[in-house]
Amino acid sequence: MTVSEWLSTAGKLHSACVSEQGEGNGSGRITMSQAKTLNVLQHAIGSDHGIKQVTYNEARVSLDEMFVMVKAGQKTPPLIAG
């Protein structure tokens, strides 16, 4: 997966988390589809935690931490530049 693909996918999931938090659903569980996407993103940067239906709050924190590492270039590789 390229860095730009990773950032695009992560950005969409992050936006969904922010939206759910804004509606007061931050403590609700993400969908199974979202959990699978989060797992793919984690796996792509070598941080595989398995598929878990965490809360929107937990998913956003995880994504925030991963964004920092990816944008700093710490996860290239395993991500491909571009």
Side-chain angles (χ1 to χ4, degrees):
M1 178 180 284
T2 66
V3 172
S4 59
E5 289 171 331
W6 191 96
L7 290 172
S8 175
T9 302
K12 290 174 187 171
L13 182 55
H14 190 269
S15 293
C17 291
V18 170
S19 176
E20 290 294 329
Q21 287 176 317
E23 294 176 14
N25 300 325
S27 60
R29 298 266 178 216
I30 62 176
T31 67
M32 185 53 79
S33 176
Q34 291 168 325
K36 288 177 183 178
T37 299
L38 183 60
N39 180 256
V40 167
L41 293 168
Q42 291 169 333
H43 183 71
I45 63 170
S47 177
D48 194 12
H49 299 291
I51 299 172
K52 298 178 186 168
Q53 280 188 284
V54 297
T55 67
Y56 286 102
N57 292 334
E58 293 167 328
R60 182 176 177 191
V61 168
S62 179
L63 287 164
D64 287 340
E65 292 169 356
M66 290 190 291
F67 271 126
V68 170
M69 291 185 284
V70 170
K71 288 180 178 179
Q74 296 174 340
K75 295 300 176 181
T76 309
L79 293 177
I80 301 164

